Amino acid sequence: MSHLLAADLVRFGRRRDVWLVLILVPLMIALLYLNEFNRTVQSIHEVLNVDLGPNPDPNVLAQVQAQLQQQTAEQMPAFAFPASLIKIATNPIGVILVGLYLAIALTAGEFEWGAIRTIHLIADRSAVLAVRIGLILGLALLTLAVGLIFGTIAPFLMSIDGTPLQHFAAPVSDLGPALVVRVLCILPFISVPILISVVTRSTGLAVLLTVLVLVVDVALTATPFWQESPVPWLPGTLISGSISRLLGGDQSVFAAFTPAWLAVVALLGWSILPLAGAVLLIRRLDLTE
Amino acid sequence: MEHLTGTIQVAGLRKRYGRVAALDGLDLTVAEGNVVGLLGPNGAGKTTALRILVGLVRADAGSVTIEGRIVDRGWVAGEQVGALIALPVFYPHLSGRDNLRVAGTTWGWSTGRIDDRIGTVLQQVDLASVGTRSVKGYSTGMRQRLGIALALLADPPIIILDEPVNGLDPAGIVEIRDLLTSLAGTGRTILVSSHLLTEVEKTCDHVAIMDRGRILAEGTPEALSGAGTDRVEVQLTPADVPAAQRALEAAGLKVSVDEGAEGLRVEGAARGAEVARLLAGAGVYPEGLVHRRDSLEDVFLRLTDHRDEPIR
């Protein structure tokens, strides 16, 4: 297996698009975090925009100060380390984009170029795909890891109104499980496009069908019909529904119908089954490319 | 074929694509150390046969074994069988060397062995000077050479090549033919498909002619040519043709009139002198008389000529 991984590194080590994605996405993750921080600070500072006149009442001034401090104390801990890690992992659009792109480009691309024929001649194609899946997952998690490193360092360099951000740091209970759940939420966005890539054997079709599947998933999840149906727990087991259930916790609209364990099982299923299907299917394909 | 078992054994291979039978009970045996040419016109089923032979495509029926191992889609040519099937495909963003490096790395070779073998095979296919260039800039012929280089990379005992001289210029064809001849001299088992009869005739010690998914004839090039009948071609003025035909047929010879009615073909082992004597006896004096024997090309064209049959 290590030989196959080494071969993949030769194959894709010089792909500029792969490097571009791997460099830009951590930057995107950092920008998303900083942007959200800035928006939050602005909303906290909105209280200062109230016109108090040339000689403000000291009581009113004290009230404004108190409100400012209260909002800062409430909202800043989420940006301070270690909660910053959850903040970054909860907004993984960049990592999802990496997963989607690499899954389709590095899987469907083999069929598109016809290189799958050459792969078949030199190695077991199922083993090559299994290693490729590991590589794609690894690269996606690498971008998340870079984002998390940023989330570890940046709070120590940031401040609000002259107060270091880490002044507001608070311990986070269940940090590990919370991060694991957020990683789990990324996996279907890699596994589903990989299966679709093997089924369609075309980059364009894989992109189209992946988008369609995800849109249909969101549409089904959002349909109010389910709550009145005999299976109200069902939307909480779809991709977007299970993610919503797990990230929303007890506040999720699906909390009443779908237990958290069922959402975890569903998300694991969406992550593992398509990958297993892809590995089994690629062995059965007639390679006429 | 005289061998009962072979390095490559194909039995009753059938494959249909919709209503078209690409292979219709193909049987083929390639004995160890033989260089076998698979000849056939376009659409004869050569590439389909070779795709099944290396496990790219599953047959509807029949079996393939290579070195006693059943070939299915889990079978890997790997280092034992070097194969080039149809136009070879490589990663366009990688150089020729790096494309070969992918294979060597996959097989777990050391960097030294990879570099050594890449240098050797690129030299063999005359790509050494462009090995570091990106494959996207390669011509069709260069890609074909790189495909052959990949097939030779592991120095395999069995080599399967599908139309290896496709896209090559005449000099390239001669180079690859010489390369195949030198490989054949090292005791390797080689199966090469082609529709270039001259190349096969010069390179292979055994030829199988296939069409419509079946082997129509096989044997050494000499035996196949010899299997065709000798004939005497007689050039006549059109006015003499009927009388000459009558005289020769009266002597029990099988005669056919050439297209254009400017001559006769006397089939069988007739000697030119006998034909001349019979014609003289009938008062016909030919303008020319030549004794001919079928070439591999004649045999091939005769076996694969379907001009009178409806298109499937």
Side-chain angles (χ1 to χ4, degrees):
Chain A
M1 287 293 185
S2 62
H3 300 149
L4 296 180
L5 181 61
D8 262 3
L9 294 179
V10 176
R11 276 188 186 98
F12 304 120
R14 292 191 186 161
R15 284 264 306 247
R16 273 175 286 189
D17 56 336
V18 173
W19 279 107
L20 202 64
V21 164
L22 293 179
I23 290 168
L24 288 183
V25 166
L27 282 176
M28 181 181 161
I29 292 171
L31 285 175
L32 283 171
Y33 168 82
L34 292 174
N35 189 40
E36 192 175 353
F37 174 78
N38 281 337
R39 274 191 288 114
T40 307
V41 170
Q42 277 174 13
S43 75
I44 291 171
H45 284 171
E46 267 175 15
V47 72
L48 297 175
N49 295 338
V50 178
D51 187 6
L52 299 175
N55 296 309
D57 183 341
N59 289 333
V60 175
L61 261 181
Q63 272 184 7
V64 167
Q65 264 321 316
Q67 195 177 340
L68 194 65
Q69 284 174 1
Q70 185 196 346
Q71 285 202 16
T72 304
E74 277 175 10
Q75 299 199 46
M76 284 301 104
F79 292 93
F81 180 81
S84 56
L85 301 182
I86 302 290
K87 176 67 77 183
I88 279 178
T90 307
N91 192 5
I93 184 70
V95 183
I96 287 173
L97 283 177
V98 170
L100 282 170
Y101 180 78
L102 294 181
I104 293 173
L106 304 190
T107 311
E110 297 284 13
F111 293 99
E112 193 97 341
W113 304 323
I116 186 71
R117 183 150 43 88
T118 310
I119 285 176
H120 167 84
L121 293 176
I122 59 175
D124 182 298
R125 41 179 138 151
S126 293
V128 169
L129 180 61
V131 169
R132 183 73 48 84
I133 288 167
L135 178 71
I136 294 166
L137 287 172
L139 291 175
L141 292 179
L142 179 69
T143 57
L144 180 62
V146 173
L148 292 178
I149 290 170
F150 173 81
T152 303
I153 297 169
F156 290 92
L157 306 174
M158 294 158 69
S159 63
I160 176 167
D161 299 330
T163 307
L165 181 57
Q166 274 307 106
H167 176 76
F168 302 98
V172 178
S173 62
D174 299 331
L175 178 65
L179 285 176
V180 168
V181 164
R182 280 151 182 80
V183 168
L184 192 59
C185 293
I186 296 165
L187 298 184
F189 297 97
I190 294 172
S191 62
V192 170
I194 284 177
L195 176 62
I196 291 174
S197 296
V198 174
V199 170
T200 60
R201 302 156 80 150
S202 148
T203 305
L205 267 178
V207 170
L208 184 67
L209 275 183
T210 300
V211 170
L212 273 177
V213 165
L214 296 178
V215 167
V216 168
D217 179 274
V218 170
L220 285 174
T221 300
T223 306
F225 155 83
W226 299 107
Q227 294 183 9
E228 310 300 326
S229 78
V231 284
W233 47 268
L234 193 66
T237 61
L238 299 177
I239 296 174
S240 50
S242 54
I243 290 173
S244 170
R245 169 67 184 90
L246 290 173
L247 296 187
D250 292 339
Q251 308 299 315
S252 166
V253 292
F254 305 110
F257 308 104
T258 311
W261 67 264
L262 182 58
V264 169
V265 169
L267 214 44
L268 277 172
W270 284 111
S271 305
I272 296 168
L273 292 180
L275 295 180
V279 171
L280 291 175
L281 180 63
I282 200 169
R283 183 184 285 266
R284 297 185 55 78
L285 290 178
D286 275 353
L287 299 179
T288 52
E289 279 78 8
Chain B
M1 203 171 199
E2 62 274 20
H3 306 278
L4 293 176
T5 57
T7 300
I8 300 173
Q9 196 97 37
V10 177
L13 224 47
R14 291 180 191 279
K15 179 72 180 177
R16 294 191 74 86
Y17 291 109
R19 293 171 61 190
V20 177
L23 294 180
D24 187 18
L26 181 79
D27 296 304
L28 181 69
T29 305
V30 180
E32 186 179 351
N34 266 15
V35 181
V36 175
L38 192 59
L39 277 175
N42 292 332
K46 302 187 298 293
T47 297
T48 300
L50 296 191
R51 280 178 189 274
I52 294 173
L53 219 77
V54 296
L56 282 166
V57 174
R58 185 176 51 173
D60 298 333
S63 67
V64 176
T65 58
I66 293 184
E67 294 269 81
R69 273 200 60 199
I70 295 171
V71 175
D72 53 21
R73 282 173 299 192
W75 177 87
V76 177
E79 296 175 71
Q80 287 304 304
V81 180
L84 164 77
I85 305 294
L87 187 66
V89 185
F90 295 100
Y91 296 97
H93 61 282
L94 292 182
S95 67
R97 291 188 75 91
D98 280 344
N99 267 290
L100 298 179
R101 190 177 302 283
V102 168
T105 309
T106 299
W107 295 328
W109 290 2
S110 67
T111 309
R113 186 180 175 194
I114 291 172
D115 288 338
D116 184 43
R117 282 301 301 162
I118 288 175
T120 304
V121 294
L122 286 181
Q123 202 78 45
Q124 280 179 304
V125 298
D126 200 21
L127 280 183
S129 60
V130 293
T132 52
R133 262 173 53 186
S134 170
V135 163
K136 66 180 164 221
Y138 278 24
S139 67
T140 306
M142 288 159 81
R143 283 169 200 242
Q144 193 74 7
R145 288 167 189 264
L146 190 61
I148 296 170
L150 178 62
L152 301 178
L153 186 65
D155 203 11
I158 301 169
I159 298 171
I160 296 171
L161 302 173
D162 181 21
E163 305 282 4
V165 294
N166 257 8
L168 298 185
D169 54 23
I173 291 174
V174 172
E175 279 174 32
I176 297 302
R177 189 179 68 208
D178 291 346
L179 175 63
L180 287 178
T181 307
S182 69
L183 289 170
T186 58
R188 287 177 172 79
T189 305
I190 301 176
L191 175 61
V192 53
S193 86
S194 181
H195 57 262
L196 298 179
L197 295 108
T198 316
E199 302 315 311
V200 169
E201 196 167 15
K202 287 179 177 170
T203 315
C204 301
D205 46 35
H206 196 97
V207 175
I209 298 175
M210 73 178 290
D211 193 21
R212 298 188 171 184
R214 278 183 297 176
I215 298 293
L216 301 178
E218 57 180 312
T220 63
E222 298 76 27
L224 278 178
S225 303
T229 53
D230 287 15
R231 64 181 181 277
V232 174
E233 292 178 0
V234 186
Q235 290 173 314
L236 297 158
T237 55
D240 286 340
V241 169
Q245 187 175 7
R246 277 195 302 274
L248 294 173
E249 283 177 345
L253 296 175
K254 187 180 171 192
V255 179
S256 59
V257 180
D258 273 356
E259 280 180 37
E262 291 184 350
L264 294 173
R265 290 159 61 96
V266 186
E267 308 290 347
R271 287 181 295 117
E274 185 191 356
V275 172
R277 186 180 57 77
L278 290 168
L279 290 175
V284 176
Y285 298 94
E287 295 182 348
L289 198 144
V290 185
H291 181 260
R292 287 198 193 280
R293 167 174 278 201
D294 275 356
S295 66
L296 187 59
E297 186 177 350
D298 294 320
V299 176
F300 176 83
L301 291 174
R302 194 173 61 245
L303 289 170
T304 60
D305 185 9
H306 306 295
R307 278 175 297 183
D308 298 336
E309 298 174 26
I311 296 169
R312 284 182 297 176

